[in-house]
Amino acid sequence: MDGLPKRKHPRLKKYDYSSVGSYFITFCSKDKKQILSRVVGRAVLCPPHIALTPIGRIVDTVTLTIPTAYPHVALDAYVIMPNHIHLLLTIRELSNGGVGSPRPTIPGI
């Protein structure tokens, strides 16, 4: 691991990641292995598109459950790439005035 570049911490210090708003999130597979999907169809009559692997199909299924598991979170868009996934999530205002369970945090989701 000594050969890897030092990365800055991706989260803002002291920011409340349960705040209402939209969040663009990227997850990478371990060691950036291409285990989620593959690009197929690079012929003239068949434009390239993503074909999910079995692991990618599991990720797809679990991703689609986010709004059910977290009713105050909207899954606005997502795409599963060969070695990473992009998500656009929106945490909405609590409809009950904040009574009951707290809003989830982005790391918690």
Side-chain angles (χ1 to χ4, degrees):
M1 287 240 249
D2 292 320
L4 295 176
K6 295 281 185 187
R7 292 181 57 176
K8 292 194 299 184
H9 195 277
R11 296 189 188 133
L12 298 173
K13 292 178 184 176
K14 298 182 182 180
Y15 184 80
D16 179 6
Y17 282 95
S18 68
S19 296
V20 172
S22 294
Y23 298 86
F24 181 78
I25 303 161
T26 300
F27 292 102
C28 294
S29 60
K30 183 176 180 183
D31 299 324
K32 296 188 179 180
K33 290 185 179 176
Q34 297 188 4
I35 59 171
L36 302 174
S37 66
R38 56 190 170 84
V39 180
V40 295
R42 295 183 178 169
V44 174
L45 297 176
C46 185
H49 61 279
I50 296 292
L52 297 178
T53 65
I55 294 171
R57 286 194 292 276
I58 292 169
V59 170
D60 186 52
T61 299
V62 171
T63 299
L64 290 171
T65 67
I66 290 172
T68 303
Y70 303 96
H72 299 98
V73 177
L75 176 63
D76 299 317
Y78 72 101
V79 61
I80 300 172
M81 303 302 290
N83 65 358
H84 64 282
I85 178 172
H86 295 292
L87 298 163
L88 183 59
L89 298 178
T90 299
I91 296 179
R92 298 184 298 237
E93 192 66 50
L94 296 173
S95 59
N96 60 4
V99 177
S101 62
R103 275 193 305 265
T105 64
I106 291 300
I109 296 169

